[in-house]
Structure formats: C-alpha cells, structure tokens
Amino acid sequence: MIIALTGYMCSGKTTVGGIVADALGCPFMDLDEIIVKRAGKSIPEIFARDGEPAFRALEADCLAKTVKKYAGSTLVLALGGGTVTCPGAVSLLQEKTLCIWLKAPVETMAERANATGGRPLADERFAQRYSEREPLYEAAAHIVLETEGLTSEEIADEIIIDCL
Ligand code: S3P
C-alpha cells in the first residue's frame, strides 16, 4: 500500500510522513526530492528557469512513475502542496494509494511558510490558492485528518491507526 500524504504547503506532510514510515518500518519518499533529483536543480530554480507548467509536468511524471514502481509494496509518500493540480493526479491517488489529507487552518500554514521561506508559491496568493485547491484535496483523499492542536507524533499515530 502506498500511503500518500496530501495537503497544502507547510501542512506537515514531510515531518509526519517520516515518523509514520519509521513506525511502520517502511521506506519514506518525498515527491519534491524525487523531482529535484530528476531535474538536477532545486525547486526554486525549476520555477525560475522553466516555469510552473514545466514543474507540474515533471511532478506528474514523477508521481506516476513512483506509484507504478511501488505498487504492491509499502511506502509512505509525501506529496507536494500542488501535486493535486497535476492532470490525472487526483484519480491516480484515489485509485492507487491510500491518500490522507493533512488539513490545517490556512493561517497556521502561512505562518510556517513565512518562517521557513524558500517556497516559490508562498506568496500573496497563499490563502486564495489554498481555497482553490481545497476541493482537489477533498477529491483525492480517502481520509481527512484535522491536524490543528496535534503534535506531529499524534498525527502520525492517527495515520497508523487508520492503516491498521
Ligand atoms: C508547491 C508546494 C511545494 C513544492 C512546490 C510547489 C505548491 O511542496 O512542490 O514549491 O504548489 O503548493 P510542499 O508542499 O512540500 O512545500
């Protein structure tokens, strides 16, 4: 089973995904890292040099290949905040993964994004873009996990219980 964690930027996908994978004793992968390895450049570089459509095409391809490669094995996969906007991604996630939406208030995610920096789309459209994407997270996810007030470990525990 591929446990795919979806949600907006700074919703905790990578941190929680690592904890879940450790607890389950299975590999953890981050789609952003797969993309960076494949492109040979950082995400800000891909956005700046090639543009968002090129990034999405690469993201869609990396997602499809990862899902195909790990079909039948156990893997925790942290998606990017915009993976659900890639053509075909929502149905792929619905059909081939157990997709969990880490849902947090947009203010919490905006605070974290401001504090960490380095994300090309953490801009003035942050809240607007989140509301545009909410229906896509909803459509992709089998499980919605409200994370506000929970620690990363508590969120991971919820996911592990859902997977039993
Ligand atoms: C993006 C989210 C980022 C990364 C890229 C685009 C988005 O991933 O894929 O900067 O469109 O929301 P994280 O959600 O891991 O920050």
Side-chain angles (χ1 to χ4, degrees), residues 7-14 30-32 35 43-44 47 52 55-56 59 78-83 85 118-122 126 129 133 137:
Y8 202 38
M9 287 173 262
C10 300
S11 55
K13 304 177 294 284
T14 303
D30 187 308
L31 190 60
D32 283 343
I35 296 166
I43 288 178
F47 270 79
E52 185 173 350
F55 175 80
R56 294 299 170 209
E59 186 173 30
L79 303 172
T83 307
T85 68
R119 285 179 171 83
L121 295 183
F126 194 85
R129 190 181 296 104
R133 287 181 183 172
Y137 298 129

Side-chain angles (χ1 to χ4, degrees), residues 55-157:
F55 175 80
R56 294 299 170 209
L58 199 53
E59 186 173 30
D61 192 54
C62 288
L63 175 67
K65 288 199 169 120
T66 304
V67 168
K68 192 168 176 194
K69 184 167 171 191
Y70 288 89
S73 34
T74 306
L75 170 73
V76 180
L77 177 65
L79 303 172
T83 307
V84 288
T85 68
C86 297
V90 166
S91 51
L92 185 69
L93 292 166
Q94 260 289 321
E95 286 160 26
K96 307 279 188 197
T97 74
L98 173 68
C99 186
I100 302 177
W101 175 16
L102 302 189
K103 186 175 184 184
V106 71
E107 299 77 19
T108 304
M109 297 183 288
E111 265 170 38
R112 291 182 193 149
N114 288 334
T116 50
R119 285 179 171 83
L121 295 183
D123 55 15
E124 66 292 339
R125 289 197 69 251
F126 194 85
Q128 175 62 31
R129 190 181 296 104
Y130 176 64
S131 7
E132 289 163 10
R133 287 181 183 172
E134 267 198 308
L136 298 173
Y137 298 129
E138 182 98 56
H142 302 94
I143 296 167
V144 183
L145 230 164
E146 305 265 0
T147 61
E148 188 68 349
L150 299 181
T151 64
S152 301
E153 286 73 18
E154 286 167 339
I155 300 165
D157 284 347

Side-chain angles (χ1 to χ4, degrees), residues 36-56:
V36 166
K37 265 193 202 139
R38 167 104 171 265
K41 44 193 162 185
S42 71
I43 288 178
E45 276 171 342
I46 303 171
F47 270 79
R49 293 188 196 170
D50 311 323
E52 185 173 350
F55 175 80
R56 294 299 170 209

